[in-house]
Structures are given as structure tokens and as C-alpha cells.
């Protein structure tokens, strides 16, 4: 029998000394209680040392692209992003790409009529079957309302009903939905409230889906940018809604957006705006989100909204339930992960990593309260006696 102590030992490979980029990245992450190659689920596991310099040089764009390329991983990606944003580490990195993004937004109208169609082709036209697998029965691609709901479908139905209640929809009314998506609000309002609906979208796939799904209902869908939509004075709408579309309007176009809505609405009507928003005016659109998910997007501040409406509208109600978006995004990710095998061959693994990063990083951002979700109810001249928000 061989003696263990006589068995030649294999020398351990020499420990690699971390480079300057890794040391700098580790020190930065430590400020958010994140360890480089640590053992906790939200710690960042670095696979390629060169990615550290890439992340430090390019900020959020480098972080997202390096993840897509498999340069790093994290078991709890949403927890990692939550900690990064809560510690405001984005302010510690100043990549040139971020300064360029701010300059472009100041100099150019990135959401012009010609550019408005880009996000439809790049994002919303990816495949109706893909979005149906992720979004569920409602096909609502906006924040759900989880106050009394336990499932995604129930929470989305609760959000749609909340919108209808806030608008006070009644049978025979006419509703305009600016940015109708896959028609979730149109269908709900027509089926449950007897409302005649018109929806606008810049996505051909969304228009086709909505027209098919709403057959037999008093629903019309128009493939049109909101700026090209004209309403005759005698055909104005009782109510106007915009759910999750305002993020594509851009601050240079806010006056035009609200002017279109105002001209479409009867003098005694109501409008509901449902939008993601940012808390700090100076923060630019995330370069990674702009490049890979929502090109030419821009989040508003609440102040920008109120500045645009104070001359021609009365702000009746403001409701923030942005924390519900965290849970919504996690539910979407769970369904995306469940159904991914159906789409793997079509989209490939880099898309899988991109979509995982998108959903979970956004969940972390809402959990950190770095971004918000507002529902704002407006009226042209003020509701007589005052507006009362329905119990929710």
C-alpha cells in the first residue's frame, strides 16, 4: 500500500496578482458592500480580468456589454444593481459616452417624427409570440398593480381596472389610448366598461396583434405617431390615456404631446398619464438601455411634466407606485426564463443574457427607488367640486 506522504504532490498553480483595473473595481464595489468574486449571491464574479478596465472606462454601458459577452456573472443580478444604485456608484464613474449622451440629448431631437419609429422596429416588433410568453394573458407591457394581487395576470388586470376607475369610464364614452401597445387597455375598457376605443401605436406587430385580438369589439387601432393624429372638433374623446409610452416622447416634444391630447379631449374630459420617471433632472438616459433596449428613450422628471401642463391643464391627482415595478419585472423575468427554450434557437445566448440583464437591472433600479412610476390625472379646466381618486 502506498504511503500517502511518499506520494509526489502536484504543485499548486501560482496565484495571479490582480491587475490595476481589478483592484480599482474591487475598491469601487466595496463602497456598495459588493465583493469581487465573493460568495454572496449579489457579488460580482469576474471571468475575464480585462473586463474590469472596460467597466471602469465605459460605466453602465461597459457593465452591460461585458455581461452580455459573458465577462462576468452574478447570481442575484437585481440585488447587485440595487446596491450599485443605492450607493450612487454611477456618480463615481464618468465615461465619455455618458457626456456624449447628454450632449446629443441637448442638441438634437432624438424623438422626432422620423426617429419615433425606430423603437417600434428595434424592440416592440421582436415577436408577438415572444412578448406573449413573457407578459402573460393581458399583454400589458407596463407596471402592474400589486396592492391586492398575487399573480401577474391579476396584478395587470388590477392596473387596467384602476386606470378605468380613475378615468370614470362609462358605457358609450370614447377613449383615445396614445401608445396602446398590444391593446390591453383598449380591450379591458371595451369589454368591461362598454367604451368605444381608438389606439395609436408605432409598432406594426402591436397593431396587427391588437386588431386580431379585439375583433368584435368597438376598438380601432391606427399605426401612427401621435403628432400625425388629428381629431375633428365634433369627434373629440371623453377620455385620453397614455400608458407606458411617454418614456419615448422626449422633453423637446412634451409640449406637442400634451397639445395633441388637449385637442383630442372634450372640455369636460379627463386624461391619465402612466409613465416611468427619474428623480433627478440632470441624469441622462442610461447608455446601455438606449443602445440595446429602448433607442431614443428619455425618462421625464415630475417637474418636467408639471411645467408642461400647468398652463393648459389642471393636475387632479398624482399617484406613485413605482415599487410595484420591481415585482412586475421579476414576474416578467420568471416567465421569460420559463419559456426561453422555445426561443433560444431564434435569438441566441447573447440575447438571453441581454434580456436577463435588462429585466433584472431594471428591477434593481426600482427597488433602489432610483426610478419611479407615476399615474397623473389631468383635466382641461378642473373637475367641478374636485377630483376624488377611487379607493385603491
Amino acid at each position: 500500500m502506498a504511503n500517502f506522504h511518499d506520494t509526489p504532490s502536484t504543485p499548486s498553480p501560482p496565484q495571479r496578482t490582480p491587475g490595476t483595473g481589478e483592484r480599482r473595481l474591487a475598491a469601487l464595489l466595496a463602497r456598495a458592500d459588493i465583493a469581487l468574486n465573493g460568495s454572496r449571491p449579489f457579488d460580482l464574479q469576474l471571468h475575464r480580468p480585462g473586463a474590469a478596465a472596460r467597466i471602469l472606462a465605459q460605466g453602465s454601458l461597459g457593465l452591460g456589454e461585458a455581461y452580455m459577452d459573458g465577462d462576468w456573472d452574478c447570481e442575484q443580478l437585481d440585488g447587485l444593481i440595487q446596491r450599485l444604485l443605492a450607493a450612487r456608484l454611477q456618480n463615481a464613474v464618468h465615461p465619455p459616452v455618458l457626456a456624449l449622451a447628454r450632449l446629443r440629448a441637448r442638441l438634437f431631437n432624438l424623438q422626432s417624427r422620423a426617429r419615433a419609429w425606430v423603437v417600434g422596429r428595434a424592440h416592440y416588433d421582436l415577436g408577438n409570440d415572444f412578448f406573449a410568453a413573457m407578459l402573460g394573458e393581458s399583454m400589458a407591457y407596463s407596471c402592474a398593480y400589486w396592492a391586492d394581487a398575487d399573480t401577474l395576470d391579476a396584478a395587470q388586470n388590477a392596473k387596467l381596472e384602476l386606470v378605468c376607475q380613475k378615468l370614470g369610464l362609462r358605457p358609450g364614452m370614447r377613449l383615445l389610448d396614445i401608445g396602446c401597445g398590444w391593446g390591453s387597455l383598449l380591450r379591458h375598457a371595451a369589454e368591461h366598461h362598454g367604451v368605444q376605443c381608438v389606439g395609436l401605436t408605432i409598432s406594426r406587430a402591436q397593431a396587427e396583434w391588437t386588431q386580431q385580438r379585439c375583433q368584435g369589439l368597438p376598438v380601432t387601432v391606427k399605426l401612427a405617431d401621435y403628432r400625425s393624429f388629428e381629431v375633428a372638433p365634433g369627434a373629440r374623446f371623453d377620455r385620453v390615456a397614455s400608458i407606458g409610452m411617454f418614456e419615448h416622447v422626449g422633453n423637446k416634444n412634451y409640449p406637442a404631446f400634451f397639445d395633441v391630447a388637449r385637442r383630442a379631449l372634450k372640455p369636460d374630459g379627463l386624461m391619465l398619464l402612466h409613465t416611468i420617471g427619474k428623480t433627478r433632472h440632470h441624469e441622462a438616459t442610461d447608455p446601455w438601455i438606449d443602445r440595446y433596449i429602448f433607442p431614443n428613450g428619455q425618462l421625464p422628471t415630475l417637474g418636467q411634466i408639471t411645467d408642461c401642463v400647468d398652463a393648459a391643464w389642471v393636475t387632479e391627482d398624482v399617484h406613485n407606485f413605482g415599487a410595484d415595478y420591481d415585482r412586475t419585472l421579476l414576474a416578467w423575468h420568471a416567465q421569460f426564463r420559463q419559456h426561453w427554450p422555445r426561443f433560444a434557437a431564434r435569438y441566441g445566448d447573447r440575447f438571453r443574457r441581454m434580456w436577463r440583464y435588462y429585466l433584472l437591472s431594471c428591477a434593481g433600479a426600482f427597488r433602489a427607488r432610483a426610478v419611479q412610476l407615476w399615474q397623473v390625472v389631468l383635466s382641461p379646466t378642473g373637475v367641478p367640486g374636485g377630483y376624488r381618486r377611487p379607493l385603491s
Side-chain angles (χ1 to χ4, degrees):
M1 181 179 291
N3 189 308
F4 174 79
H5 296 285
D6 294 335
T7 304
S9 61
T10 302
S12 301
Q15 291 291 323
R16 188 184 63 81
T17 302
T20 302
E22 290 172 83
R23 293 195 298 271
R24 287 180 57 207
L25 181 60
L28 185 65
L29 293 175
R31 291 163 54 179
D33 189 30
I34 298 168
L36 192 63
N37 300 322
S39 59
R40 296 168 298 181
F42 53 81
D43 287 334
L44 190 152
Q45 310 300 321
L46 195 66
H47 301 318
R48 296 187 179 93
R54 180 183 186 183
I55 293 168
L56 292 168
Q58 298 182 332
S60 66
L61 179 62
L63 184 70
E65 288 186 334
Y67 181 81
M68 291 167 61
D69 292 339
D71 292 349
W72 64 272
D73 272 302
C74 180
E75 179 184 343
Q76 192 185 78
L77 187 53
D78 48 319
L80 168 72
I81 299 298
Q82 175 194 358
R83 285 165 174 77
L84 290 177
L85 293 176
R88 300 200 59 75
L89 292 194
Q90 69 272 26
N91 293 339
V93 181
H94 304 284
V97 66
L98 193 58
L100 180 61
R102 292 194 182 102
L103 182 62
R104 287 178 66 240
R106 284 200 299 268
L107 295 179
F108 303 104
N109 183 356
L110 301 179
Q111 302 82 18
S112 65
R113 292 191 185 217
R115 289 176 175 268
W117 301 87
V118 173
V119 68
R121 294 189 296 268
H123 188 83
Y124 297 111
D125 291 347
L126 280 171
N128 286 337
D129 57 340
F130 171 74
F131 280 106
M134 185 181 82
L135 301 179
E137 171 63 23
S138 72
M139 284 293 278
Y141 196 20
S142 56
C143 184
Y145 190 58
W146 295 87
D148 296 307
D150 296 320
T151 67
L152 177 62
D153 286 338
Q156 289 291 13
N157 284 330
K159 184 270 303 294
L160 296 172
E161 184 58 26
L162 179 66
V163 169
C164 293
Q165 293 294 331
K166 286 182 177 182
L167 287 173
L169 294 183
R170 298 188 302 275
M173 282 186 171
R174 298 181 68 243
L175 169 69
L176 173 65
D177 187 356
I178 304 176
C180 64
W182 286 274
S184 57
L185 178 61
L186 303 177
R187 183 183 178 200
H188 186 93
E191 285 186 337
H192 298 283
H193 296 273
V195 175
Q196 301 176 40
C197 305
V198 175
L200 308 180
T201 178
I202 46 79
S203 164
R204 190 173 301 277
Q206 288 181 338
E208 292 172 354
W209 173 278
T210 304
Q211 288 169 345
Q212 182 178 9
R213 192 125 188 242
C214 293
Q215 286 183 359
L217 294 173
V219 171
T220 301
V221 183
K222 296 181 179 295
L223 187 63
D225 177 72
Y226 65 93
R227 285 160 288 199
S228 65
F229 184 70
E230 294 291 339
V231 180
R236 288 180 176 176
F237 292 84
D238 300 282
R239 302 292 187 261
V240 173
S242 184
I243 313 297
M245 174 270 183
F246 196 67
E247 300 91 335
H248 302 303
V249 171
N251 69 300
K252 295 185 186 308
N253 306 298
Y254 293 163
F257 174 88
F258 285 110
D259 183 58
V260 168
R262 183 68 177 79
R263 286 186 282 109
L265 191 62
K266 291 180 178 179
D268 61 348
L270 288 176
M271 176 182 181
L272 185 141
L273 177 70
H274 171 121
T275 183
I276 301 171
K278 60 185 180 182
T279 55
R280 293 171 178 82
H281 180 80
H282 68 277
E283 290 184 344
T285 300
D286 181 90
W288 186 87
I289 290 287
D290 180 68
R291 179 174 294 184
Y292 291 100
I293 306 299
F294 296 119
N296 304 323
Q298 186 180 51
L299 298 184
T301 64
L302 193 57
Q304 287 175 317
I305 295 173
T306 56
D307 284 347
C308 282
V309 303
D310 62 1
W313 300 83
V314 174
T315 302
E316 301 284 1
D317 187 62
V318 179
H319 184 187
N320 184 341
F321 55 95
D324 284 24
Y325 228 142
D326 176 13
R327 191 170 176 182
T328 304
L329 285 152
L330 292 181
W332 287 343
H333 177 259
Q335 300 205 148
F336 164 73
R337 185 176 179 181
Q338 175 187 348
H339 295 288
W340 173 250
R342 290 170 48 195
F343 304 101
R346 184 194 304 179
Y347 296 111
D349 195 60
R350 196 167 190 263
F351 180 95
R352 180 189 66 82
R353 293 182 68 87
M354 178 185 77
W355 211 258
R356 180 177 189 264
Y357 186 84
Y358 154 52
L359 295 173
L360 294 182
S361 65
C362 288
F366 279 100
R367 196 177 311 156
R369 308 302 287 127
V371 282
Q372 314 300 324
L373 187 286
W374 300 306
Q375 282 191 353
V376 182
V377 178
L378 305 167
S379 68
T381 58
V383 174
Y387 176 86
R388 300 288 182 185
R389 182 196 298 174
L391 295 177
S392 57

